[in-house]
Amino acid sequence: MAQLDTREKLAILADAAKYDASCASSGTSKRNSAGGKGLGSTEGSGICHAYAPDGRCISLLKILLTNSCVFNCHYCINRKSSNVRRARFTAQEVVQLTLAFYKRNYIEGLFLSSGIIKSSNYTMEQLVEVARSLREDHDFRGYIHLKTIPDADPELVRMAGLYADRVSINVELPTVPGLKRLAPEKSAGQIEGAMLGMKGAIEDGRDAKKKYKSAPSFAPAGQSTQMIVGADAATDSDIVVKASTLYDRFSLRRVYYSAFSPIPDASAVLPLQRPPLMREHRLYQSDWLMRFYGFKPEEVVSAAEPDGMLPLDIDPKLAWALKFREYFPVDVNRASREQLLRVPGLGTKAVDRILRSRRFRTFSLDDVARLTVSVAKIRPFIVTSDWRPTLLTDRADLKRWIKPEKSQLELFAA
Amino acid sequence: MSDANGRFGNSADLFDSRLGLGGKAGVLLPDGPQIDPLKITLDQPDDFDGWREAARELVLAGVPPMSVVWQVAGDDGELFGSEGAVPPAAGGEPMFSVPKPFIDLAKAAICHSEPQRFALLYSLLWKLKANRRALEDRADPLVDRLEKLAKEVHRDAHKMHAFVRFREVEEGDGTRFVAFFEPDHHIVRREAGFFVRRFTTMRWSILTPELSIHWDPATESLTEGPGATRADAPDGDPLEETWRTYYANIFNPARLKVKAMLKEMPKKYWRNMPETALVAPLIAGARARELEMIEKAQAAPRTGGNIEGAWAALRQEAMSCTRCDLFRCGTQTVFGEGPLDARIFFVGEQPGDQEDLAGRPFVGPAGQLFDAALEKAGIERSTTYVTNAVKHFKFVLRGKKRIHSKPDTAEIEACRWWQEQERAIVRPPLTVALGATAARSLTGKTLTITKAREAPLTLADGSECWVTVHPSFLLRIPKEERRREERARFVEDLRRIRARSEELAAA
């Protein structure tokens, strides 16, 4: 094969990385390039430097070191039996590309993943070498996310944590039979074992940092994972429960959901339809309900239809509210934070503002309107000094009344 | 940049009435009622320090908000108001401090392009004097207004952090990175620090229509220059082509979401970003690229593939399906069967008593009727794929008998995934829905059989779907004569299906 130049490699290895959902660059420790020899800063919240027409943000240079792989996971375009064009970056090429993009303010840093070549350890060494060179040779202080290889030597994985802001190990599929069918060479036990090891290393790092200021920070943005939605038989309820156990057992920062995409040269095991984007969106919304709104996983599950799927036409919080109408209306002037957070259309910010302002005024509907996006959606669920929804929550057609009119997704588009 | 924070935030020295007057105000005529409002001129549109100093004096002198007009030096003068000195603070006026959040709010809001910002802030300051906690009432219209201004400034700043694009320029003594950016608000001075912290060791300039800022790492100094136009900035960078390559390839054409993109990356910023030129062609080509991916996959030769393995694995996975509660009641999952290159794909309703025990579809009384009808229509069952919309037996116990009970919509929906996977593997040119449950599973809609059996439907993958009755319906017709009629009609449907299948195969 003819030698590929950097741009040709970039085209292949960025294309191969586009199925990864995460591009986050937030939640790490604050640092900047003052007093250093290199460049880069992180100020807590991530920055999205561009948006692709698929609506996803571009925050990091998200690429694979190589798209060659010895595994044959059916959902993956890089599997051994796929006939995509292969390419491989050297560690130094990735370093140079990251620095050059960063200097022009195109990116917040690097998200590096890789197909597995030669051995897990060899691949992991290469990934770590990129991060090491960026940090040590170039004093790079931007964001680094490394996807670790589950069965690599724990010492290599530990090195990854020392250089990277975030590390991740993908659980790939929400069910064990799904994993067996679609990723026969991976095992749930191995993946979760690696996550557990990482959790321990992160906790040790945090303890050391508490004791000694000089201790190096270890993956300050924590660990995350991704699962593919729509390629196995898992229902939304299955996925929600799975995600919540992952959060609990491995102290994950984030679980990402990636709607399965039809891919070139798809394995015959896989569905060929368009990815269920709205389903993915509803799962993210349910994730938020659990992380920020105090919903328990079983409560999210109870918002699902009897077949275990969250409704596609309304968000899960509204679905929950419509099922548990006895909970409403909630009195804006008296309700607790927990109660207010259950009101569809009231976000965490609006709730905080209401609680703060409530000490100074009795809320009318207009006051609520000033603090929220759409009071019309909220009205059936709240009581204010001048508003009481007369049995509105008992109306059988309430769902039709507040649900967004436009159709969200063309399931059967030609 | 001076640190105004501490001064305004500390109560001790700030709003102390003993502080003398100074600053930019002129002389106030001591006599007579003041008709004209007092005009205060600030040096810069984002002159927080100037505003703070003037506001402090005004508040201490008891000048109400309605008696002040604010302007920025160099702007078209305010028509009303006259330059004058702030009257001296009334003796004994108690000093007062403002809460820290007010300083943060004021520092942000003052950068907004809204001309009323100084006056609004002064009104709020005035309010705070009467009630130190006024700021906590977020539902107050004045607080709300200023919070919204501040929020817009924060957003503009965030967009500047994100969308500034440097271009590398060779200068005699090294390289400089130059960007042109057009903010909506007066945020450049405010945000300079971000770029200094990020690019401390680089020499860079950010040019904006209002002013330019330049960072020199050698002297660690930030200098200001006059405003600039896009023509003053370099017009390209060799790396931009590489960046565009990345942008084009990280985009997944199967998940086009243009609205979401526009919401976060409004068009007004596009002019100065090299990658945005690609947006239109990427969107235009997306559907074609996706279809190409699917077509390529569909056209892939099936020989020597892993079709058999895929089907076996899928069947294995289905054996432990718990997608609905029916798995609790049946003996086993009854999966579909037949050759994986079948050209006709039958979908029935649900396994019955005998199917549940045998683990195979269509082996009971309805199955035997089905076999007979197929034979009459000239279809060899062994060349077709036969499966059910719902793969577990649902029944009610009556004595020792298990009486079949119709699956509900949720169960059909839950099981639909398996049927779709089976079809994805077999990819039949012609699918036949036997009864309403099957039709619902295949189309997602409730259909009346009488109407639907007249003409074929098109499924999501573009293939043809014929609808007819379920064989068990024919078993339940009590009147002999009608039963015979309906059976003949069923066979007739199957004949048409056979003919159509042969037609499709020949095409």
Side-chain angles (χ1 to χ4, degrees):
Chain A
M1 188 170 40
Q3 282 288 321
L4 298 171
D5 71 15
T6 306
R7 253 181 65 202
E8 287 169 316
K9 288 186 192 175
L10 180 63
I12 294 168
L13 294 169
D15 188 274
K18 74 183 172 207
Y19 307 99
D20 241 309
S22 164
C23 195
S25 57
S26 53
T28 191
S29 50
K30 288 186 182 185
R31 52 177 189 262
N32 60 53
S33 52
K37 297 192 308 289
L39 79 161
S41 65
T42 54
E43 304 205 341
S45 58
I47 298 173
C48 303
H49 285 264
Y51 291 81
D54 53 20
R56 295 197 293 183
C57 86
I58 297 171
S59 177
L60 302 169
L61 169 61
K62 185 164 59 174
I63 48 172
L64 263 55
L65 197 56
T66 173
N67 63 342
S68 300
C69 191
V70 296
F71 281 2
N72 207 17
C73 305
H74 297 286
Y75 56 82
C76 182
I77 184 170
N78 304 316
R79 68 186 189 284
K80 195 166 66 181
S81 65
S82 159
N83 67 2
V84 290
R85 191 156 187 206
R86 308 286 175 170
R88 179 181 172 182
F89 273 132
T90 64
Q92 278 319 297
E93 277 174 315
V94 175
V95 168
Q96 291 309 327
L97 205 52
T98 307
L99 293 172
F101 279 178
Y102 199 93
K103 279 181 185 167
R104 286 157 181 83
N105 204 39
Y106 297 161
I107 51 169
E108 286 290 288
L110 174 70
F111 176 3
L112 189 63
S113 175
S114 182
I116 297 172
I117 38 167
K118 288 188 193 172
S119 69
S120 297
N121 280 346
Y122 174 81
T123 310
M124 195 66 220
E125 266 169 35
Q126 297 294 306
L127 292 173
V128 169
E129 170 56 17
V130 173
R132 186 211 60 78
S133 175
L134 276 169
R135 294 285 194 235
E136 289 183 353
D137 304 342
H138 301 277
D139 194 15
F140 176 68
R141 299 182 185 183
Y143 196 92
I144 299 179
H145 178 160
L146 291 183
K147 174 83 63 67
T148 62
I149 315 289
D151 58 346
D153 188 322
E155 181 54 25
L156 283 168
V157 177
R158 204 184 61 83
M159 302 268 285
L162 286 177
Y163 295 122
D165 292 279
R166 171 168 287 180
V167 286
S168 60
I169 304 159
N170 286 354
V171 296
E172 315 295 9
L173 289 149
T175 63
V176 172
L179 191 67
K180 244 189 191 160
R181 177 165 65 93
L182 298 169
E185 283 132 321
K186 292 187 179 170
S187 85
Q190 180 197 56
I191 292 169
E192 295 189 356
M195 281 181 164
L196 199 63
M198 188 58 82
K199 180 194 176 199
I202 290 171
E203 278 167 0
D204 289 350
R206 213 166 290 148
D207 285 349
K209 195 87 185 164
K210 265 185 215 149
K211 278 187 203 137
Y212 315 103
K213 264 218 116 91
S214 59
S217 27
F218 188 93
Q223 68 167 326
S224 64
T225 194
Q226 168 177 300
M227 57 178 125
I228 291 157
V229 175
D232 71 353
T235 63
D236 290 346
S237 299
D238 296 338
I239 293 171
V240 164
V241 170
K242 174 85 190 177
S244 90
T245 25
L246 290 173
Y247 278 122
D248 287 352
R249 285 180 57 207
F250 308 116
S251 320
L252 294 181
R253 278 296 177 86
R254 283 296 302 275
V255 174
Y256 291 92
Y257 305 100
S258 176
F260 172 75
S261 299
I263 52 177
D265 192 33
S267 160
V269 193
L270 288 169
L272 286 166
Q273 306 91 326
R274 293 182 140 201
L277 293 187
M278 187 47 73
R279 185 178 173 200
E280 179 188 287
H281 182 59
R282 296 292 179 231
L283 285 168
Y284 276 119
Q285 286 177 322
S286 69
D287 207 71
W288 279 68
L289 290 184
M290 291 192 285
R291 290 194 299 144
F292 303 112
Y293 289 80
F295 278 69
K296 297 197 184 70
E298 55 271 24
E299 289 179 303
V300 176
V301 166
S302 70
E305 303 285 333
D307 67 359
M309 302 302 274
L310 293 166
L312 289 176
D313 56 346
I314 51 172
D315 67 76
K317 196 176 175 190
L318 180 57
W320 184 86
L322 290 174
K323 274 206 175 162
F324 298 93
R325 295 184 192 192
E326 66 277 12
Y327 195 88
F328 300 97
V330 165
D331 187 342
V332 172
N333 287 301
R334 290 162 194 275
S336 67
R337 188 182 149 79
E338 290 69 33
Q339 287 172 311
L340 287 171
L341 283 173
R342 297 276 158 152
V343 175
L346 275 190
T348 47
K349 264 195 190 151
V351 168
D352 287 342
R353 288 169 178 175
I354 287 172
L355 290 173
R356 203 144 50 100
S357 304
R358 215 161 62 172
R359 301 204 294 264
F360 304 94
R361 65 173 62 227
T362 307
F363 266 81
S364 67
L365 206 55
D366 280 350
D367 294 328
V368 177
R370 224 170 287 130
L371 299 188
T372 55
V373 182
S374 156
V375 79
K377 269 178 70 182
I378 303 168
R379 224 160 34 179
F381 302 99
I382 58 169
V383 168
T384 64
S385 61
D386 59 345
W387 166 264
R388 171 170 290 276
T390 39
L391 293 178
L392 207 51
T393 49
D394 290 335
R395 286 173 58 152
D397 61 345
L398 181 60
K399 178 171 163 183
R400 200 166 1 120
W401 207 62
I402 41 184
K403 130 188 178 186
E405 269 184 29
K406 61 179 170 80
S407 75
Q408 301 271 16
L409 185 74
E410 297 175 83
L411 269 176
F412 291 101
Chain B
M1 275 160 284
S2 72
D3 176 35
N5 219 352
R7 295 191 59 205
F8 225 162
N10 290 338
S11 55
D13 65 330
L14 231 261
F15 284 95
D16 186 336
S17 60
R18 287 161 300 176
L19 279 174
L21 293 173
K24 49 207 86 189
V27 181
L28 179 83
L29 298 173
D31 300 320
Q34 200 163 340
I35 300 160
D36 267 359
L38 208 53
K39 190 190 283 184
I40 305 289
T41 305
L42 300 174
D43 292 342
Q44 307 280 0
D46 57 345
D47 183 6
F48 174 77
D49 291 344
W51 176 86
R52 182 199 55 194
E53 215 152 290
R56 174 180 54 192
E57 291 171 1
L58 290 165
V59 137
L60 290 177
V63 181
M66 57 182 289
S67 305
V68 193
V69 292
W70 300 85
Q71 68 172 24
V72 178
D75 281 3
D76 292 340
E78 276 281 347
L79 291 177
F80 304 102
S82 54
E83 305 274 350
V86 178
E93 181 81 20
M95 54 190 187
F96 92 100
S97 64
V98 292
K100 170 114 178 14
F102 174 74
I103 306 293
D104 297 336
L105 173 68
K107 279 179 156 181
I110 218 153
C111 297
H112 202 281
S113 52
E114 162 63 54
Q116 288 299 312
R117 61 195 182 278
F118 307 113
L120 289 169
L121 280 170
Y122 185 60
S123 297
L124 182 56
L125 183 63
W126 189 258
K127 215 170 188 172
L128 279 170
K129 193 182 154 199
N131 171 14
R132 197 170 182 279
R133 302 176 68 183
L135 196 57
E136 291 170 47
D137 184 5
R138 182 58 178 69
D140 176 275
L142 178 61
V143 175
D144 181 52
R145 178 88 199 278
L146 280 161
E147 289 277 4
K148 282 188 173 134
L149 294 186
K151 193 180 166 194
E152 281 163 27
V153 167
H154 288 307
R155 185 175 158 86
D156 199 31
H158 190 80
K159 295 302 178 200
M160 182 176 176
H161 297 171
F163 298 151
V164 154
R165 295 283 182 266
F166 284 117
R167 285 165 167 169
E168 191 175 4
V169 187
E170 283 306 320
E171 290 183 344
D173 49 350
T175 55
R176 177 188 292 279
F177 289 86
V178 185
F180 181 71
F181 187 74
E182 294 162 286
D184 285 345
H185 305 291
H186 311 287
I187 57 167
V188 178
R189 278 188 204 93
R190 181 183 160 84
E191 297 313 320
F194 170 84
F195 293 94
V196 170
R197 289 189 295 277
R198 173 156 293 194
F199 303 111
T200 312
T201 58
M202 272 162 46
R203 178 149 51 155
W204 53 262
S205 299
I206 299 176
L207 316 179
T208 78
E210 197 171 288
L211 78 153
S212 316
I213 45 169
H214 310 281
W215 171 252
D216 184 356
T219 56
E220 299 216 328
S221 60
L222 193 66
T223 47
E224 271 179 32
T229 64
R230 196 157 354 139
D232 298 323
D235 60 0
D237 183 301
L239 204 73
E240 284 177 2
E241 210 40 53
T242 312
W243 174 238
R244 277 193 286 264
T245 301
Y246 176 66
Y247 184 81
N249 284 287
I250 201 70
F251 157 62
N252 185 347
R255 22 183 325 152
L256 204 57
K257 271 189 182 172
V258 179
K259 255 190 214 155
M261 171 189 69
L262 283 172
K263 187 172 161 258
E264 300 297 339
M265 192 170 71
K267 275 200 163 157
K268 63 183 175 194
Y269 297 109
W270 287 23
R271 279 179 294 184
N272 303 310
M273 298 167 68
E275 63 273 30
T276 49
L278 290 176
V279 171
L282 285 177
I283 292 173
R287 186 65 183 146
R289 268 175 73 190
E290 186 197 351
L291 286 178
E292 192 190 339
M293 293 197 303
I294 294 176
E295 249 163 51
K296 246 193 221 161
Q298 279 172 340
R302 310 292 290 262
T303 49
N306 55 352
I307 282 287
E308 297 289 339
W311 181 84
L314 188 71
R315 185 177 185 281
Q316 192 57 43
E317 195 183 339
M319 289 303 141
S320 50
C321 176
T322 55
R323 281 168 76 89
C324 71
D325 271 342
L326 289 183
F327 75 93
R328 296 180 202 281
C329 96
T331 309
Q332 57 189 315
T333 305
V334 179
F335 207 67
E337 61 178 31
L340 300 180
D341 57 355
R343 303 197 55 87
I344 306 179
F345 187 104
F346 286 102
V347 183
E349 186 186 74
Q350 192 176 26
D353 184 68
Q354 295 191 29
E355 284 84 1
D356 175 65
L357 296 172
R360 295 185 51 210
F362 282 91
V363 293
Q368 282 156 23
L369 195 153
F370 180 56
D371 284 348
L374 282 176
E375 208 183 314
K376 273 191 194 156
I379 300 173
E380 181 71 49
R381 171 156 169 186
S382 64
T383 64
T384 66
Y385 190 90
V386 179
T387 191
N388 280 306
V390 174
K391 297 191 171 30
H392 276 111
F393 181 34
K394 184 183 182 183
F395 59 87
V396 281
L397 270 181
R398 219 165 275 154
K400 279 185 184 168
K401 266 191 152 179
R402 304 193 296 174
I403 304 297
H404 166 269
S405 133
K406 211 171 158 52
D408 63 33
T409 316
E411 287 151 0
I412 300 170
E413 282 303 306
C415 217
R416 185 172 164 185
W417 194 83
W418 295 109
Q419 173 266 109
E420 282 174 356
Q421 297 298 299
E422 286 177 285
R423 289 190 64 253
I425 289 178
V426 178
R427 290 189 245 167
L430 206 156
T431 304
V432 183
L434 301 169
T437 299
R440 159 110 213 166
S441 168
L442 284 160
T443 62
K445 289 175 210 151
T446 309
L447 302 172
T448 32
I449 302 296
T450 349
K451 259 193 195 167
R453 74 196 292 183
E454 284 162 13
L457 308 164
T458 307
L459 295 179
D461 63 358
S463 71
E464 238 170 64
C465 173
W466 292 69
V467 181
T468 182
V469 294
H470 195 277
S472 64
F473 158 76
L474 303 172
L475 287 174
R476 288 197 303 263
I477 301 172
K479 279 192 183 154
E480 165 83 40
E481 190 186 342
R482 197 170 155 237
R483 190 161 63 218
R484 209 175 312 130
E485 252 171 51
E486 283 295 337
R487 286 188 187 187
R489 208 169 154 210
F490 180 56
V491 173
E492 201 39 54
D493 279 353
L494 292 177
R495 279 208 186 102
R496 257 194 297 168
I497 285 159
R498 191 198 73 187
R500 181 62 186 149
S501 168
E502 283 163 2
E503 226 173 276
L504 285 173

